[in-house]
């Protein structure tokens, strides 16, 4: 990964601010954020390219010996990017060691594999005995974030404000039972019809 002149200027400014905190302009903050995004994009693109090359290498290795030229060229490329050759690669190179390029790559892969084994063994040994932690000056133990940038506290979701609990609703009082009607209300007495006028006069 190579930085341009403008990117190096932003990187120097960010390091200076980290080591010696001071007021910073919004433009500097935006430049630092853009540089961080560009670096992330470059790292992701490099990972995608590496995955593509390894898949291509596996296809060429599976089609040997007819693809020896392409396989050896790809293997040399991925070794330069830190690829750790596996048992399949060593077996393929041993089968092709009549080729001078394959013989040279076989010696190189054996060296890389031996170094990887030694690194793993030394890592296990160091894991049993904890290494002393280096002392850091008190002034360098904490780096301040740029004003205006995001911090870990911003990434965490802010707690939602508690809503006041509404008072419990009291159940409505049950309606009083309806009175049972009396027989007189259900069957009112029949009124006697009034006498005709001529009967009243005769009487």
């Amino acid at each position: 990964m190579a930085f341009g002149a403008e990117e190096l200027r932003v990187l120097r400014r960010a390091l200076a601010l980290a080591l010696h905190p001071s007021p910073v302009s919004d433009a500097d903050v935006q430049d630092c954020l853009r540089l961080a995004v560009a670096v992330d994009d470059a790292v992701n693109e490099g990972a995608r390219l590496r995955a593509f090359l390894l898949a291509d290498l596996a296809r060429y290795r599976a089609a040997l010996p007819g693809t020896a030229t392409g396989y050896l060229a790809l293997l040399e490329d991925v070794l330069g990017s830190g690829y750790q050759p596996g048992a399949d690669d060593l077996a393929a190179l041993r089968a092709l060691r009549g080729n001078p390029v394959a013989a040279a790559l076989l010696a190189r892969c054996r060296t890389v594999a031996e170094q990887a084994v030694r690194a793993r063994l030394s890592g296990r040994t160091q894991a049993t005995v904890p290494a002393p932690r280096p002392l850091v000056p008190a002034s360098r133990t904490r780096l301040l974030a740029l004003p205006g940038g995001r911090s870990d506290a911003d990434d965490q979701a802010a707690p939602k404000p508690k809503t006041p609990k509404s008072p419990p609703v009291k159940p409505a009082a049950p309606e009083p039972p309806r009175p049972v009607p009396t027989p007189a209300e259900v069957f009112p007495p029949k009124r006697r019809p009034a006498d005709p006028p001529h009967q009243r006069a005769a009487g």
Side-chain angles (χ1 to χ4, degrees):
M1 183 182 299
F3 290 103
E6 184 64 21
E7 293 170 335
L8 287 175
R9 182 193 67 79
V10 176
L11 185 59
R12 283 196 297 267
R13 176 65 174 153
L15 291 175
L17 289 171
L19 295 175
H20 305 286
S22 61
V24 60
S25 64
D26 292 341
D28 286 337
V29 173
Q30 294 301 322
D31 289 342
C32 291
L33 292 176
R34 281 193 293 268
L35 179 60
V37 172
V39 170
D40 290 341
D41 291 342
V43 170
N44 294 335
E45 184 63 27
R48 285 192 292 269
L49 179 60
R50 179 181 173 84
F52 173 78
L53 288 177
L54 293 182
D56 219 13
L57 180 69
R59 286 192 292 268
Y60 273 80
R61 186 174 57 232
L64 287 173
T67 56
T69 303
Y71 170 72
L72 295 176
L74 277 175
L75 181 59
E76 192 169 4
D77 287 343
V78 295
L79 284 174
S81 65
Y83 172 68
Q84 297 289 337
D88 294 339
D89 295 308
L90 295 175
L93 291 174
R94 279 194 293 268
L96 298 172
R97 67 184 139 189
N99 184 321
V101 178
L105 281 176
L106 177 60
R108 182 179 173 184
C109 288
R110 282 175 174 170
T111 303
V112 172
E114 289 173 1
Q115 290 175 352
V117 171
R118 290 196 190 99
R120 283 196 295 269
L121 292 176
S122 63
R124 292 176 185 174
T125 304
Q126 292 176 1
T128 57
V129 181
R133 298 180 61 184
L135 298 178
V136 182
S139 60
R140 303 291 178 85
T141 55
R142 183 171 58 92
L143 297 179
L144 301 179
L146 293 176
R150 294 184 63 185
S151 63
D152 292 339
D154 297 332
D155 295 334
Q156 297 176 356
K160 296 181 179 179
K162 295 182 179 180
T163 55
K165 294 182 179 180
S166 56
V169 180
K170 295 182 178 180
E175 297 181 358
R178 295 181 61 184
V180 179
T182 61
E185 293 175 344
V186 178
F187 305 104
K190 295 181 179 180
R191 293 184 178 181
R192 182 179 177 184
D195 296 333
H198 64 274
Q199 289 182 1
R200 291 179 187 172

